[in-house]
Amino acid sequence: MKFMATLILLALSLALLFPLTSTFPTLHKGSSLSTEKSEDVLSSPNGVFSAGFYPVGENAYCFAIWFNHPSQSQPHTIVWMANRDHPVNGRRSKLSLLQTGNLILTDAGKFTVWASDTLSHSPVQLSLNNTGNLVLHTLEGESLWESFDFPTDTLLPQQQLTRNIRLVSSRSRGNYSSGFYKLLFDNNNLLRLLFDGLEISSIYWPDTWLVSRVAGRSTDNKSRIAVLDLLGNFSSSDRYNVMSADNGVVLHRRLTVDYDGNIRLHSWEEKEGMWVISWQAIQRPCTIHGICGPNGICSYVADYGRKCSCIPGYKLKNHTDWSYGCEPRFNLSCNKNDSGFLLLSHVEFFGYDFGYFPNYTLSQCTNLCLQWCNCKGFQFKFNDDGVGFTKCYPKMTLLNGHRSQDFKGDLYLRVPESNRLSYANSVQEFRLDCSSEGTVKLDRTYVKSRPNGTVKILLWFACGLGGLEVVCIVLVWCLLIRGQQSWGADKQGYLPAATGFRKFTYAELKKATKGFSEEIGRGAGGTVYRGVLSDGRVAAIKRLSEANQAGESEFLAEQTQMGVNETDDGGETEDRRLVTWVREKKNRMAATTASWMEEIIDPIMEGTYEMGKMEILVGMALQCVKEDKDERPTMSQVVEVLLSHDNDHYN
């Protein structure tokens, strides 16, 4: 008893420490995971990764894979999403593995927002591996689809970045949708960072002015493969190799392209329970393209972080998103006398020049910019490396702006001369807010279609007309059935009176013949079977070959002429013996040239008939009862013979 009590106490303790969950190891054909069931989660065998629906906004969910280790900044670390740009509703949305082998994600049960586009007639299942790879595979292990081939912003150890795969940053800290920064292999087989903005795109890492060999890269490869291992080594086929600060230790790691455009290598510190950055690609964050948008300047202050500001005379275009940049408060004129220039020291706007003009004086560079109506200003730099020449860069667009004391140059901003003094001290600054927490409410509504009044009236009219039509059909059908039953009753009563026979149903005849099993002969238009009626009488039952009114009338006429063929259990029919006797008399007397009619006719009928006519009638009767139905004459032939005899008689 003490042992049993100990076991029960141990079981209760384990239940409290490890509560039961409904996580699934695999997803099979015909099954699904729902947004309405928080327990619908796939887990890796080692328990490190989970896959399920993750809330990304108010009543907005994405199917995602995450680390199960909660960090201090967020409950889960997302490493992959299926529908990052198309979140689904929290009601009736499902991830389903169809019988066709296709994995689909449906939004509110209405339409498909994501699919694996796979097809398999054999059994398949969806599993989450220990590496964090979500794989759709057959029972034999053949992979049909896997999440490693379609990453979002994260590269996990053993996951390859190839020529057809790219990492895409998220939009912001709280917005998981696709952002503007991409890590990919370019056409020269080099691993690059690309800014793909709302209107303009540009390469910014490594520096475009660096020759590939100076940057430590090589274009002499065709593989285009980059991979991260558990020890903290990131290596690329273009000879770019990186080691993390904690290199050599097996840890949970991930490489990310973050929403600020930088690449970072993260390591999980088990003791601290948090992710730490063990390497990043760009040390000067303001040199990342597109940070503050068009006409914006990025400044970095130690212990303060990065901040954005609009250049003088410009205002913020979207107060919630710096990627839209700033827009001017004025309109520039092409008249040279209407424009002036403001000096912005140590400010650089990289790229988008009209050209490079060396050894131009400040006055020459100013006049050069005034020649173009769309010149926004010019970059002017004096080299103090002993050579002593100047560089002039007139600007058609002001992008990728940043201020740094290390930059030995200035920007001369073109503004209306009438407002130049007022803009001189009006620098509007905004700090780039990277600390927003919580989910972002998505602008998404579901509209229920409503028919207009005309359609509604037509619908009701069609329903009423259809109901009336159904009622009419039912009434006509009932009248037809009653009429047929009445006609059948009249016919049932008429037939015995006309023919002396009773009419049997098909079911009665089938039962009497034991399913038409014992055939005793074949006649015109059908087959004759032996049957036993319900009253014990044995009867010959003829089954017509064609079930139509003509065949039935022919059969009744035949029965009227021939009479009832009643048989005993073992004897020959009386009619058959009569036919045989007459036929034998005819054949025997024909051989002796005597009159065979006198042998078969009752003597009391002498003088009441014509011998020739009687001989024709009896001869025709013998032909009509021949055993082979094909030798019997048709009714038209019988009528023709009889009529021809009458015509000869009258003539």
Side-chain angles (χ1 to χ4, degrees):
M1 291 297 292
K2 291 183 178 181
F3 178 72
M4 291 297 297
T6 303
L7 287 179
I8 295 174
L9 182 61
L10 179 61
L12 291 175
S13 301
L14 291 175
L16 292 174
L17 290 175
F18 304 100
L20 296 176
T21 61
S22 300
T23 57
F24 301 93
T26 57
L27 189 68
H28 299 276
K29 276 188 175 182
S31 55
S32 61
L33 302 177
S34 173
T35 54
E36 299 181 82
K37 299 179 180 179
S38 59
E39 65 272 13
D40 280 5
V41 174
L42 294 175
S43 295
S44 61
N46 59 6
V48 174
F49 296 96
S50 292
F53 285 98
Y54 188 84
V56 296
E58 184 178 346
N59 194 34
Y61 291 81
C62 289
F63 189 81
I65 302 174
W66 60 80
F67 272 101
N68 283 326
H69 304 298
S71 64
Q72 294 179 353
S73 59
Q74 53 188 358
H76 296 292
T77 303
I78 302 296
V79 298
W80 179 82
M81 279 188 174
N83 56 316
R84 63 189 305 190
D85 295 319
H86 302 282
V88 296
N89 198 291
R91 298 288 303 274
R92 299 176 59 195
S93 298
K94 292 182 179 181
L95 179 79
S96 305
L97 182 53
L98 305 181
Q99 295 294 339
T100 59
N102 194 18
L103 187 67
I104 66 170
L105 178 58
T106 54
D107 185 10
K110 292 182 176 293
F111 49 88
T112 301
V113 299
W114 178 88
S116 63
D117 296 327
T118 52
L119 177 65
S120 177
H121 299 292
S122 59
V124 297
Q125 59 186 19
L126 184 69
S127 304
L128 183 59
N129 295 344
N130 288 333
T131 58
N133 189 15
L134 188 66
V135 182
L136 181 64
H137 58 89
T138 63
L139 298 182
E140 292 76 20
E142 179 186 0
S143 177
L144 303 178
W145 174 92
E146 51 187 89
S147 61
F148 269 17
D149 292 336
F150 305 91
T152 49
D153 62 348
T154 303
L155 193 73
L156 294 174
Q158 304 179 31
Q159 182 179 4
Q160 293 184 347
L161 182 68
T162 63
R163 66 171 62 233
N164 297 321
I165 297 176
R166 57 186 58 189
L167 299 184
V168 181
S169 69
S170 61
R171 193 68 171 80
S172 64
R173 183 188 298 272
N175 188 347
Y176 292 94
S177 60
S178 298
F180 301 127
Y181 300 99
K182 300 177 181 179
L183 179 65
L184 49 80
F185 281 98
D186 66 6
N187 293 331
N188 294 322
N189 304 322
L190 297 179
L191 192 63
R192 297 280 198 177
L193 272 174
L194 169 70
F195 167 68
D196 191 8
L198 298 173
E199 298 178 354
I200 296 176
S201 62
S202 59
I203 295 288
Y204 64 93
W205 179 86
D207 293 327
T208 54
W209 50 268
L210 284 177
V211 181
S212 61
R213 293 187 178 180
V214 177
R217 307 294 186 90
S218 172
T219 60
D220 300 331
N221 73 90
K222 296 182 180 180
S223 55
R224 299 188 190 180
I225 297 176
V227 65
L228 171 69
D229 63 22
L230 290 171
L231 297 176
N233 299 312
F234 178 68
S235 57
S236 173
S237 56
D238 65 353
R239 297 183 184 176
Y240 182 73
N241 298 300
V242 170
M243 291 190 301
S244 64
D246 52 6
N247 175 265
V249 182
V250 177
L251 297 173
H252 294 305
R253 303 180 187 273
R254 57 189 176 96
L255 182 78
T256 60
V257 178
D258 294 332
Y259 62 88
D260 62 356
N262 210 343
I263 311 174
R264 294 182 175 89
L265 182 57
H266 306 262
S267 303
W268 176 257
E269 288 288 346
E270 192 69 36
K271 293 182 179 179
E272 301 294 333
M274 61 182 297
W275 292 98
V276 295
I277 300 174
S278 54
W279 172 83
Q280 68 179 20
I282 301 174
Q283 304 304 320
R284 294 184 301 166
C286 279
T287 61
I288 297 174
H289 288 191
I291 285 298
C292 296
N295 308 310
I297 302 176
C298 176
S299 301
Y300 186 80
V301 180
D303 300 328
Y304 184 77
R306 186 176 57 192
K307 62 179 180 179
C308 289
S309 61
C310 291
I311 54 179
Y314 288 73
K315 61 180 180 179
L316 190 62
K317 191 173 184 179
N318 188 324
H319 289 269
T320 61
D321 194 341
W322 264 109
S323 61
Y324 292 93
C326 306
E327 58 185 357
R329 301 176 184 269
F330 53 81
N331 294 319
L332 281 175
S333 172
C334 284
N335 191 336
K336 297 181 180 180
N337 298 324
D338 293 338
S339 297
F341 291 89
L342 289 179
L343 172 62
L344 302 179
S345 301
H346 304 292
V347 172
E348 178 186 19
F349 280 88
F350 184 81
Y352 307 100
D353 308 318
F354 281 103
Y356 165 53
F357 301 89
N359 289 326
Y360 268 50
T361 64
L362 180 62
S363 177
Q364 289 174 325
C365 198
T366 301
N367 291 329
L368 183 64
C369 181
L370 291 175
Q371 294 179 8
W372 293 295
C373 291
N374 57 343
C375 180
K376 308 297 183 184
F378 61 90
Q379 201 86 51
F380 192 79
K381 183 178 180 181
F382 181 81
N383 275 16
D384 57 356
D385 53 1
V387 180
F389 68 92
T390 59
K391 298 178 180 179
C392 174
Y393 301 93
K395 297 290 181 179
M396 65 178 70
T397 302
L398 299 177
L399 282 171
N400 310 321
H402 70 278
R403 177 185 285 112
S404 174
Q405 295 298 322
D406 297 332
F407 178 67
K408 306 302 180 181
D410 303 311
L411 177 77
Y412 288 83
L413 178 65
R414 185 178 181 179
V415 296
E417 178 63 28
S418 59
N419 298 328
R420 184 172 60 87
L421 295 178
S422 62
Y423 290 153
N425 299 317
S426 61
V427 178
Q428 187 178 8
E429 294 187 352
F430 298 90
R431 185 165 183 244
L432 187 64
D433 187 6
C434 301
S435 61
S436 58
E437 297 181 356
T439 57
V440 177
K441 184 176 181 180
L442 300 177
D443 184 15
R444 181 191 60 191
T445 57
Y446 292 89
V447 179
K448 183 178 180 181
S449 59
R450 296 180 179 179
N452 56 35
T454 304
V455 174
K456 194 172 183 179
I457 292 174
L458 291 176
L459 183 61
W460 278 107
F461 176 76
C463 292
L465 187 62
L468 180 61
E469 185 176 354
V470 170
V471 171
C472 293
I473 291 174
V474 171
L475 290 176
V476 171
W477 180 76
C478 292
L479 292 175
L480 289 177
I481 292 297
R482 292 185 60 184
Q484 186 176 5
Q485 291 176 348
S486 176
W487 177 83
D490 294 342
K491 188 176 179 182
Q492 184 74 14
Y494 167 76
L495 286 175
T499 64
F501 302 130
R502 175 194 166 190
K503 186 175 182 180
F504 293 89
T505 64
Y506 177 81
E508 291 174 322
L509 296 179
K510 185 176 181 180
K511 181 178 179 182
T513 59
K514 298 181 180 179
F516 302 99
S517 59
E518 185 177 349
E519 181 180 336
I520 61 175
R522 292 179 179 271
T527 306
V528 182
Y529 299 89
R530 182 180 183 276
V532 180
L533 302 178
S534 59
D535 56 2
R537 290 183 298 166
V538 178
I541 299 174
K542 184 175 184 179
R543 185 179 185 182
L544 300 179
S545 300
E546 297 181 0
N548 52 47
Q549 191 66 30
E552 183 177 3
S553 300
E554 181 182 351
F555 173 74
L556 293 174
E558 181 181 356
Q559 289 293 76
T560 304
Q561 292 176 357
M562 295 182 62
V564 181
N565 294 334
E566 293 187 348
T567 65
D568 51 23
D569 291 339
E572 187 180 20
T573 63
E574 182 179 351
D575 288 341
R576 186 181 296 274
R577 289 195 297 269
L578 177 60
V579 170
T580 302
W581 177 76
V582 172
R583 183 176 287 118
E584 290 177 353
K585 286 289 185 179
K586 177 183 177 183
N587 294 336
R588 185 170 59 253
M589 298 302 292
T592 60
T593 67
S595 177
W596 58 277
M597 289 297 300
E598 296 178 356
E599 294 292 330
I600 64 172
I601 296 177
D602 194 340
I604 63 176
M605 295 180 62
E606 184 176 359
T608 61
Y609 64 91
E610 296 181 10
M611 182 61 69
K613 183 182 294 187
M614 184 62 70
E615 186 174 351
I616 291 174
L617 290 175
V618 175
M620 182 57 65
L622 290 175
Q623 293 184 37
C624 291
V625 294
K626 285 186 176 182
E627 293 293 335
D628 189 354
K629 66 181 181 65
D630 295 332
E631 296 182 2
R632 302 171 187 171
T634 63
M635 188 60 67
S636 60
Q637 291 174 337
V638 172
V639 173
E640 183 180 358
V641 171
L642 296 179
L643 288 177
S644 63
H645 177 73
D646 288 343
N647 292 335
D648 293 341
H649 175 73
Y650 290 117
N651 292 333

PDB file of all heavy atoms in Angstrom, residues 300-316:
ATOM      1  N   TYR A 300      24.465  59.404 -35.596  1.00  0.00           N
ATOM      2  CA  TYR A 300      24.651  58.413 -34.536  1.00  0.00           C
ATOM      3  C   TYR A 300      25.393  59.057 -33.384  1.00  0.00           C
ATOM      4  O   TYR A 300      26.473  59.635 -33.563  1.00  0.00           O
ATOM      5  CB  TYR A 300      25.428  57.207 -35.049  1.00  0.00           C
ATOM      6  CG  TYR A 300      25.522  56.083 -34.037  1.00  0.00           C
ATOM      7  CD1 TYR A 300      24.466  55.200 -33.854  1.00  0.00           C
ATOM      8  CD2 TYR A 300      26.662  55.937 -33.253  1.00  0.00           C
ATOM      9  CE1 TYR A 300      24.547  54.181 -32.923  1.00  0.00           C
ATOM     10  CE2 TYR A 300      26.742  54.917 -32.313  1.00  0.00           C
ATOM     11  CZ  TYR A 300      25.681  54.048 -32.150  1.00  0.00           C
ATOM     12  OH  TYR A 300      25.754  53.039 -31.224  1.00  0.00           O
ATOM     13  N   VAL A 301      24.821  58.957 -32.190  1.00  0.00           N
ATOM     14  CA  VAL A 301      25.407  59.523 -30.989  1.00  0.00           C
ATOM     15  C   VAL A 301      25.644  58.384 -30.007  1.00  0.00           C
ATOM     16  O   VAL A 301      24.742  57.585 -29.731  1.00  0.00           O
ATOM     17  CB  VAL A 301      24.487  60.591 -30.357  1.00  0.00           C
ATOM     18  CG1 VAL A 301      25.128  61.167 -29.097  1.00  0.00           C
ATOM     19  CG2 VAL A 301      24.182  61.682 -31.356  1.00  0.00           C
ATOM     20  N   ALA A 302      26.880  58.314 -29.490  1.00  0.00           N
ATOM     21  CA  ALA A 302      27.220  57.253 -28.545  1.00  0.00           C
ATOM     22  C   ALA A 302      26.325  57.330 -27.322  1.00  0.00           C
ATOM     23  O   ALA A 302      26.018  58.414 -26.814  1.00  0.00           O
ATOM     24  CB  ALA A 302      28.686  57.368 -28.145  1.00  0.00           C
ATOM     25  N   ASP A 303      25.922  56.166 -26.837  1.00  0.00           N
ATOM     26  CA  ASP A 303      25.052  56.038 -25.664  1.00  0.00           C
ATOM     27  C   ASP A 303      23.668  56.643 -25.880  1.00  0.00           C
ATOM     28  O   ASP A 303      22.895  56.799 -24.924  1.00  0.00           O
ATOM     29  CB  ASP A 303      25.688  56.676 -24.411  1.00  0.00           C
ATOM     30  CG  ASP A 303      27.014  56.038 -24.052  1.00  0.00           C
ATOM     31  OD1 ASP A 303      27.167  54.816 -24.312  1.00  0.00           O
ATOM     32  OD2 ASP A 303      27.896  56.747 -23.552  1.00  0.00           O
ATOM     33  N   TYR A 304      23.390  57.037 -27.099  1.00  0.00           N
ATOM     34  CA  TYR A 304      22.074  57.607 -27.394  1.00  0.00           C
ATOM     35  C   TYR A 304      21.397  56.854 -28.525  1.00  0.00           C
ATOM     36  O   TYR A 304      20.187  56.664 -28.522  1.00  0.00           O
ATOM     37  CB  TYR A 304      22.220  59.092 -27.738  1.00  0.00           C
ATOM     38  CG  TYR A 304      20.915  59.801 -27.978  1.00  0.00           C
ATOM     39  CD1 TYR A 304      20.116  60.168 -26.905  1.00  0.00           C
ATOM     40  CD2 TYR A 304      20.481  60.089 -29.271  1.00  0.00           C
ATOM     41  CE1 TYR A 304      18.913  60.815 -27.114  1.00  0.00           C
ATOM     42  CE2 TYR A 304      19.275  60.739 -29.491  1.00  0.00           C
ATOM     43  CZ  TYR A 304      18.496  61.103 -28.406  1.00  0.00           C
ATOM     44  OH  TYR A 304      17.302  61.744 -28.613  1.00  0.00           O
ATOM     45  N   GLY A 305      22.190  56.429 -29.478  1.00  0.00           N
ATOM     46  CA  GLY A 305      21.662  55.655 -30.582  1.00  0.00           C
ATOM     47  C   GLY A 305      21.541  56.468 -31.850  1.00  0.00           C
ATOM     48  O   GLY A 305      22.094  57.565 -31.977  1.00  0.00           O
ATOM     49  N   ARG A 306      20.802  55.939 -32.764  1.00  0.00           N
ATOM     50  CA  ARG A 306      20.663  56.549 -34.078  1.00  0.00           C
ATOM     51  C   ARG A 306      19.409  57.420 -34.103  1.00  0.00           C
ATOM     52  O   ARG A 306      18.369  57.057 -33.568  1.00  0.00           O
ATOM     53  CB  ARG A 306      20.576  55.434 -35.126  1.00  0.00           C
ATOM     54  CG  ARG A 306      20.563  55.887 -36.556  1.00  0.00           C
ATOM     55  CD  ARG A 306      20.570  54.689 -37.467  1.00  0.00           C
ATOM     56  NE  ARG A 306      19.457  53.795 -37.198  1.00  0.00           N
ATOM     57  CZ  ARG A 306      19.349  52.567 -37.683  1.00  0.00           C
ATOM     58  NH1 ARG A 306      20.314  52.070 -38.420  1.00  0.00           N
ATOM     59  NH2 ARG A 306      18.300  51.832 -37.404  1.00  0.00           N
ATOM     60  N   LYS A 307      19.500  58.572 -34.773  1.00  0.00           N
ATOM     61  CA  LYS A 307      18.348  59.447 -34.900  1.00  0.00           C
ATOM     62  C   LYS A 307      18.299  60.004 -36.316  1.00  0.00           C
ATOM     63  O   LYS A 307      19.310  60.118 -37.004  1.00  0.00           O
ATOM     64  CB  LYS A 307      18.390  60.570 -33.877  1.00  0.00           C
ATOM     65  CG  LYS A 307      19.588  61.509 -34.010  1.00  0.00           C
ATOM     66  CD  LYS A 307      19.537  62.597 -32.966  1.00  0.00           C
ATOM     67  CE  LYS A 307      20.733  63.544 -33.097  1.00  0.00           C
ATOM     68  NZ  LYS A 307      20.687  64.626 -32.088  1.00  0.00           N
ATOM     69  N   CYS A 308      17.097  60.345 -36.739  1.00  0.00           N
ATOM     70  CA  CYS A 308      16.879  60.868 -38.078  1.00  0.00           C
ATOM     71  C   CYS A 308      16.361  62.300 -37.994  1.00  0.00           C
ATOM     72  O   CYS A 308      15.659  62.669 -37.044  1.00  0.00           O
ATOM     73  CB  CYS A 308      15.872  60.013 -38.841  1.00  0.00           C
ATOM     74  SG  CYS A 308      16.483  58.378 -39.316  1.00  0.00           S
ATOM     75  N   SER A 309      16.673  63.065 -38.998  1.00  0.00           N
ATOM     76  CA  SER A 309      16.187  64.439 -39.071  1.00  0.00           C
ATOM     77  C   SER A 309      15.984  64.819 -40.528  1.00  0.00           C
ATOM     78  O   SER A 309      16.597  64.243 -41.430  1.00  0.00           O
ATOM     79  CB  SER A 309      17.168  65.415 -38.404  1.00  0.00           C
ATOM     80  OG  SER A 309      18.424  65.364 -39.058  1.00  0.00           O
ATOM     81  N   CYS A 310      15.100  65.783 -40.764  1.00  0.00           N
ATOM     82  CA  CYS A 310      14.874  66.305 -42.110  1.00  0.00           C
ATOM     83  C   CYS A 310      15.830  67.465 -42.366  1.00  0.00           C
ATOM     84  O   CYS A 310      16.130  68.256 -41.459  1.00  0.00           O
ATOM     85  CB  CYS A 310      13.433  66.795 -42.258  1.00  0.00           C
ATOM     86  SG  CYS A 310      12.187  65.496 -42.234  1.00  0.00           S
ATOM     87  N   ILE A 311      16.313  67.583 -43.591  1.00  0.00           N
ATOM     88  CA  ILE A 311      17.177  68.703 -43.936  1.00  0.00           C
ATOM     89  C   ILE A 311      16.353  69.989 -43.917  1.00  0.00           C
ATOM     90  O   ILE A 311      15.116  69.952 -44.005  1.00  0.00           O
ATOM     91  CB  ILE A 311      17.823  68.479 -45.327  1.00  0.00           C
ATOM     92  CG1 ILE A 311      16.751  68.206 -46.386  1.00  0.00           C
ATOM     93  CG2 ILE A 311      18.811  67.337 -45.276  1.00  0.00           C
ATOM     94  CD1 ILE A 311      17.310  67.995 -47.775  1.00  0.00           C
ATOM     95  N   PRO A 312      16.998  71.145 -43.761  1.00  0.00           N
ATOM     96  CA  PRO A 312      16.267  72.424 -43.661  1.00  0.00           C
ATOM     97  C   PRO A 312      15.342  72.650 -44.853  1.00  0.00           C
ATOM     98  O   PRO A 312      15.694  72.399 -46.007  1.00  0.00           O
ATOM     99  CB  PRO A 312      17.390  73.465 -43.624  1.00  0.00           C
ATOM    100  CG  PRO A 312      18.561  72.746 -43.066  1.00  0.00           C
ATOM    101  CD  PRO A 312      18.456  71.347 -43.583  1.00  0.00           C
ATOM    102  N   GLY A 313      14.149  73.133 -44.544  1.00  0.00           N
ATOM    103  CA  GLY A 313      13.153  73.403 -45.571  1.00  0.00           C
ATOM    104  C   GLY A 313      12.305  72.192 -45.931  1.00  0.00           C
ATOM    105  O   GLY A 313      11.457  72.284 -46.823  1.00  0.00           O
ATOM    106  N   TYR A 314      12.509  71.066 -45.232  1.00  0.00           N
ATOM    107  CA  TYR A 314      11.773  69.826 -45.517  1.00  0.00           C
ATOM    108  C   TYR A 314      11.022  69.378 -44.273  1.00  0.00           C
ATOM    109  O   TYR A 314      11.417  69.691 -43.141  1.00  0.00           O
ATOM    110  CB  TYR A 314      12.720  68.723 -45.970  1.00  0.00           C
ATOM    111  CG  TYR A 314      13.279  68.929 -47.367  1.00  0.00           C
ATOM    112  CD1 TYR A 314      14.240  69.905 -47.615  1.00  0.00           C
ATOM    113  CD2 TYR A 314      12.855  68.146 -48.432  1.00  0.00           C
ATOM    114  CE1 TYR A 314      14.753  70.103 -48.894  1.00  0.00           C
ATOM    115  CE2 TYR A 314      13.367  68.329 -49.717  1.00  0.00           C
ATOM    116  CZ  TYR A 314      14.314  69.311 -49.935  1.00  0.00           C
ATOM    117  OH  TYR A 314      14.810  69.496 -51.201  1.00  0.00           O
ATOM    118  N   LYS A 315       9.950  68.642 -44.460  1.00  0.00           N
ATOM    119  CA  LYS A 315       9.134  68.145 -43.358  1.00  0.00           C
ATOM    120  C   LYS A 315       8.946  66.637 -43.497  1.00  0.00           C
ATOM    121  O   LYS A 315       9.053  66.074 -44.589  1.00  0.00           O
ATOM    122  CB  LYS A 315       7.772  68.831 -43.337  1.00  0.00           C
ATOM    123  CG  LYS A 315       6.949  68.591 -44.595  1.00  0.00           C
ATOM    124  CD  LYS A 315       5.596  69.292 -44.525  1.00  0.00           C
ATOM    125  CE  LYS A 315       4.803  69.040 -45.806  1.00  0.00           C
ATOM    126  NZ  LYS A 315       3.468  69.689 -45.763  1.00  0.00           N
ATOM    127  N   LEU A 316       8.652  66.014 -42.362  1.00  0.00           N
ATOM    128  CA  LEU A 316       8.476  64.556 -42.347  1.00  0.00           C
ATOM    129  C   LEU A 316       7.230  64.169 -43.136  1.00  0.00           C
ATOM    130  O   LEU A 316       6.152  64.736 -42.935  1.00  0.00           O
ATOM    131  CB  LEU A 316       8.373  64.063 -40.902  1.00  0.00           C
ATOM    132  CG  LEU A 316       8.429  62.545 -40.679  1.00  0.00           C
ATOM    133  CD1 LEU A 316       9.753  61.971 -41.151  1.00  0.00           C
ATOM    134  CD2 LEU A 316       8.205  62.228 -39.198  1.00  0.00           C
TER     135      LEU A 316
END
